[in-house]
């Protein structure tokens, strides 16, 4: 009816209608039970009026394509039953008898697809899950408007196909098994821009796995199943945003692996980002084990598997449990695979665990305890000076809380470090000073062998001196003697010096530049060393001098014990321990005369003039008469008298005449001590008589002789 009578092809159509039609092929050969499948029939002698018939269903007009091809639409029919497909070119009068069958099947159901999204460049392998999926040669997928995408039948409930490239956005999915009918379902696939990695952090992890790796990039959709892949090992993402994915690295052997990400658990990036797996470092010991809370302590760490890269992200570095570092100020220095040094940060007081990390996150499990302590501060030194030969004890007062090991407490004198402390408390540290050149040097302390104080405490080293003296060289064992020492070179000094007598220090008083006076302490008789030293500090003498301690002399008696006020009497002093190079007699309070040592029990000295009265005579056998005995032996001075008359004035040369001598200034108390002298014969005993004394004359040749009297038989009166 579409052709007019004037159509020039009417004759051909009439001709074709007279020719018998023939079916060569039919396809597809199956379709859904609700019909509507367009079956392509190929053969010969087809006309626009050709009819199609499916089994016993009424004939329908075919869609004419050409004389060799038509399309027939299948009617609804029950599943499981097949119908023959035949055609007629003469209005149903004659039908072909090819016997091609068209089968009716139940409709496949698509419930789920994975992944749900993929790159706009295509290539994602979809797994379509549902029911009623038949294994046919024409099984294919349809994505949006793109059909006939080859599929792989997996089972009656699963089929897979690879999606083509497509513009961004969601598209519906379809599935068909007869190359003609597509079952479009409410399941979609979303095309997204391909993800890309811009950076990862950290770039190093330990072989045991567990390192949290943060992946920064672009085109990370907020939904979907993100994954990371290290080498060939995929791991699920721990968290994700539109520009960041976090994954935990798996356990892998040491080496470098390619790290990629996927947003659909299937398609991974191909950036070639490298991630390194390393053997975790181990810590065996640290030194020191404590440091200042101000930070700055250099800690030596001994262990194994230290990475010498040196970068905070890649190299081995120190991590403190109470301090978080971003790596910007990391001061770890890897010396070798078994030794590194790191600087402790500023921290609160207390204990912290020191660990090692290869990336700032993963830390060792063999942690070491490190104590942050109060920084030591020196408030004062005593003494402030010492000998250049060292050996003195320096006491540093201050605050020294938080030290861990006494063996780590040391002093540093100038450039000399490692001086062990001999005494340690929370407020006092003592050190034995080493030898040093003369001059001022800074003194510092450390509580951990490494960190020293910053206080500008100075200690003065004095040059060694030669000690000259002492004067005198002998003193009494009772002590109390004054000795003078001179120093050479005789430089003036304001230091407090002491004399060291044997081992006993006594204060030294400065008499002049380089000259000092000391009071000797009590010591046993004998020789002792004598040095000069800084008070409470070191000896300055290059060599000690010798001081002799003598036994204290004892006076037991005087002969005579009385004398005239004009002196000149020779007094014989008896006693014990009268030994020395020189001796002195001390008469009264202010008279001191040289004496002559006769023996260890006898000394002679000449009595000086003295007013009448009693005085104490003591002796000294030490040099210069510095110290005297303490026996309080009395010597009496009386006014000198003269013989003014004698009765009788002559007598027998045979002697025996009693002669009375009249004396001037005769003291009755001392008359009994008078003796007489006739010429050269003396002393002659006398007896008191009136204002004088009486003496018996000795035998003497005839002639005149002088007569005199004496109180001590030493000094005779005038007559």
């Amino acid at each position: 009816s579409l052709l007019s009578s004037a159509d020039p092809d009417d004759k051909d159509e009439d001709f074709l209608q007279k020719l018998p039609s023939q079916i060569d092929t039919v396809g597809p050969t199956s379709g859904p039970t609700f019909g509507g499948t367009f079956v392509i029939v190929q053969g010969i002698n087809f006309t626009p009026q050709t009819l199609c018939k499916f089994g016993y269903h009424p004939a329908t007009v075919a869609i004419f394509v050409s004389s060799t091809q038509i399309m027939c639409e299948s009617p609804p029919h029950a599943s499981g039953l097949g119908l023959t497909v035949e055609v007629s070119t003469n209005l149903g009068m004659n039908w072909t008898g090819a016997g091609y069958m068209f089968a009716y099947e139940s409709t496949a159901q698509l419930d789920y697809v994975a992944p749900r999204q993929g790159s706009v460049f295509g290539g994602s392998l979809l797994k379509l899950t549902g029911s009623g999926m038949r294994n046919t040669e024409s099984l294919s997928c349809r994505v949006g408007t793109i059909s006939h995408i080859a599929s792989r039948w997996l089972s009656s409930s699963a089929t897979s196909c690879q999606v083509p490239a497509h513009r961004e956005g969601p598209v519906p999915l379809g599935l068909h098994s007869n190359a003609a009918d597509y079952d479009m379902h409410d399941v979609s696939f979303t095309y997204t821009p391909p993800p890309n990695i811009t950076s990862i952090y950290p770039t190093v992890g330990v072989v045991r796995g567990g390192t949290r790796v943060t992946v920064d990039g672009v085109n990370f959709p907020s939904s979907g199943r993100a994954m990371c892949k290290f080498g060939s090992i995929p791991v699920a993402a721990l968290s994700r945003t539109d520009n960041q994915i976090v994954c935990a690295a798996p356990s892998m052997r040491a080496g470098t692996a390619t790290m990629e990400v996927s947003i659909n658990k299937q398609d991974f990036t191909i950036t070639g980002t490298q991630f390194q797996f390393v053997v975790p470092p181990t810590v065996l010991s640290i030194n020191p084990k404590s440091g200042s809370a101000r930070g700055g302590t250099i800690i030596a760490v001994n262990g194994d598997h230290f990475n010498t890269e040196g970068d905070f992200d890649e190299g081995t570095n120190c991590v403190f449990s109470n301090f978080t570092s971003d790596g910007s100020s990391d001061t770890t220095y890897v010396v070798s695979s078994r030794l590194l040094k790191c600087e402790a940060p500023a921290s609160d007081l207390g204990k912290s665990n020191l660990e090692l990390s290869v990336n700032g996150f993963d830390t060792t499990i063999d942690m070491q305890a490190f104590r942050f302590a109060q920084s030591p501060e020196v408030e004062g030194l005593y003494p402030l000076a010492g000998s250049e030969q060292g050996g003195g004890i320096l006491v540093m007062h201050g605050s020294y809380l938080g030290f861990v090991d006494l063996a780590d407490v040391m002093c540093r004198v100038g450039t000399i470090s490692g001086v062990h402390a001999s005494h340690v408390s929370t407020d006092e540290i003592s050190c034995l000073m080493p030898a040093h050149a003369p001059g001022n040097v800074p003194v510092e302390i450390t509580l951990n062998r490494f960190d020293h104080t910053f206080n500008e405490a100075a200690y003065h080293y004095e040059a060694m001196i030669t000690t000259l003296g002492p004067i005198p060289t002998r003193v009494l064992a009772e002590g109390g003697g004054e000795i003078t020492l001179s120093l050479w070179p005789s430089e003036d000094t304001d230091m407090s010096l002491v004399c060291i007598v044997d081992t006993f220090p006594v204060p030294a008083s400065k008499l002049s530049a380089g000259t000092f006076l000391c009071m000797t302490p009590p010591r046993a008789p004998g020789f002792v060393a004598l040095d000069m030293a800084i008070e409470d500090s070191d000896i300055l003498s290059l060599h000690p001098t010798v001081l002799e301690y003598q036994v204290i002399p004892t006076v037991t008696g005087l002969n005579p014990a009385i004398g005239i006020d004009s002196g000149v009497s020779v007094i014989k002093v008896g006693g014990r321990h009268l030994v020395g190079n020189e001796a002195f007699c001390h008469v009264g309070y202010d008279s001191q005369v040289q004496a002559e040592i006769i023996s260890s029990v006898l000394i002679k000295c000449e009595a000086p003039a003295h007013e009448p009265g009693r005085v104490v005579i003591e002796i000294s056998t030490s040099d210069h008469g510095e110290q005297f005995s303490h026996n309080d032996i009395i010597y009496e001075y009386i006014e000198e008298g003269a013989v003014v008359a004698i009765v009788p004035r002559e007598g027998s040369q045979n002697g025996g005449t009693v002669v009375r001598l009249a004396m001037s200034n005769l003291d009755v108390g001392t008359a009994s001590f008078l003796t007489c002298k006739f010429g050269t014969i003396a002393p002659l005993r006398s007896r008191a008589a009136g204002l004088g004394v009486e003496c018996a004359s000795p035998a003497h040749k005839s002639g005149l002789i002088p007569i005199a009297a004496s109180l001590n038989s030493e000094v005779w009166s005038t007559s």
Side-chain angles (χ1 to χ4, degrees), residues 141 284 361 516 625:
C141 298
L284 300 179
F361 293 98
F516 292 84

Side-chain angles (χ1 to χ4, degrees), residues 24 36 54 57 88 143 193 206 209 236 240 297 362 507 597 602 676:
D24 295 331
F54 288 80
H57 289 278
S88 173
V143 179
V206 293
R240 46 104 46 88
T297 300
D362 302 320
I597 299 176
L602 179 62
C676 299

Side-chain angles (χ1 to χ4, degrees), residues 99-130:
Y100 286 98
M101 299 297 295
F102 181 84
Y104 283 86
E105 302 169 351
S106 59
T107 305
Q109 180 64 38
L110 181 60
D111 299 326
Y112 181 77
V113 63
R116 302 296 298 273
Q117 59 185 358
S119 169
V120 294
F121 297 120
S124 298
L125 183 63
L126 302 185
K127 181 178 181 181
L128 295 84
T129 303

Side-chain angles (χ1 to χ4, degrees), residues 480-564:
E482 293 183 347
I483 57 174
T484 302
L485 291 171
S486 298
L487 309 181
W488 188 88
S490 58
E491 297 180 358
D492 196 10
T493 179
D494 293 328
M495 289 189 303
S496 296
L497 300 182
V498 294
C499 294
I500 306 296
V501 182
D502 196 1
T503 59
F504 190 83
V506 293
S509 301
K510 185 169 69 173
L511 301 178
S512 62
T515 303
F516 292 84
L517 176 68
C518 294
M519 190 76 69
T520 60
R523 303 294 292 179
F527 294 92
V528 298
L530 179 63
D531 289 290
M532 291 294 293
I534 301 172
E535 184 178 7
D536 294 331
S537 188
D538 306 337
I539 292 176
L540 292 178
S541 305
L542 284 170
H543 305 286
T545 60
V546 177
L547 178 66
E548 182 182 358
Y549 271 88
Q550 294 180 314
V551 178
I552 302 173
T554 302
V555 178
T556 58
L558 304 177
N559 186 21
I562 190 170
I564 60 175

Side-chain angles (χ1 to χ4, degrees), residues 406-651:
L406 294 181
D408 293 335
V409 182
M410 297 183 177
C411 299
R412 182 167 67 185
V413 182
T415 58
I416 303 173
S417 58
V419 180
H420 284 277
S422 58
H423 169 75
V424 177
S425 69
T426 57
D427 58 359
E428 185 178 290
I429 291 178
S430 301
C431 285
L432 183 67
M433 299 301 286
H436 197 281
N440 290 327
V441 295
V443 178
E444 303 163 297
I445 62 171
T446 175
L447 303 183
N448 60 7
R449 293 176 179 254
F450 294 92
D451 301 324
H452 291 81
T453 53
F454 299 98
N455 309 70
E456 295 182 357
Y459 181 83
H460 182 74
Y461 275 95
E462 282 286 339
M464 298 297 291
I465 57 175
T466 299
T467 304
L468 305 177
I471 300 174
T473 60
R474 295 176 176 86
V475 293
L476 296 183
E478 66 180 359
E482 293 183 347
I483 57 174
T484 302
L485 291 171
S486 298
L487 309 181
W488 188 88
S490 58
E491 297 180 358
D492 196 10
T493 179
D494 293 328
M495 289 189 303
S496 296
L497 300 182
V498 294
C499 294
I500 306 296
V501 182
D502 196 1
T503 59
F504 190 83
V506 293
S509 301
K510 185 169 69 173
L511 301 178
S512 62
T515 303
F516 292 84
L517 176 68
C518 294
M519 190 76 69
T520 60
R523 303 294 292 179
F527 294 92
V528 298
L530 179 63
D531 289 290
M532 291 294 293
I534 301 172
E535 184 178 7
D536 294 331
S537 188
D538 306 337
I539 292 176
L540 292 178
S541 305
L542 284 170
H543 305 286
T545 60
V546 177
L547 178 66
E548 182 182 358
Y549 271 88
Q550 294 180 314
V551 178
I552 302 173
T554 302
V555 178
T556 58
L558 304 177
N559 186 21
I562 190 170
I564 60 175
D565 57 356
S566 60
V568 305
S569 297
V570 176
I571 306 173
K572 301 178 185 67
V573 182
R576 296 186 302 272
H577 309 303
L578 308 181
V579 180
N581 292 334
E582 56 182 351
F584 296 89
C585 289
H586 198 282
V587 182
Y589 293 105
D590 52 3
S591 297
Q592 180 174 312
V593 295
Q594 189 84 31
E596 179 186 359
I597 299 176
I598 304 302
S599 69
S600 63
V601 296
L602 179 62
I603 288 178
K604 289 183 178 181
C605 59
E606 183 177 340
H610 196 282
E611 63 183 7
R614 292 185 174 187
V615 295
V616 174
I617 291 184
E618 304 290 356
I619 61 172
S620 171
T621 56
S622 62
D623 294 347
H624 300 284
E626 295 290 342
Q627 292 177 285
F628 289 84
S629 60
H630 311 291
N631 302 112
D632 297 333
I633 303 299
I634 302 299
Y635 181 81
E636 185 175 3
Y637 278 94
I638 64 172
E639 185 178 350
E640 184 178 5
V643 179
V644 296
I646 59 173
V647 177
R649 295 182 64 88
E650 58 185 18

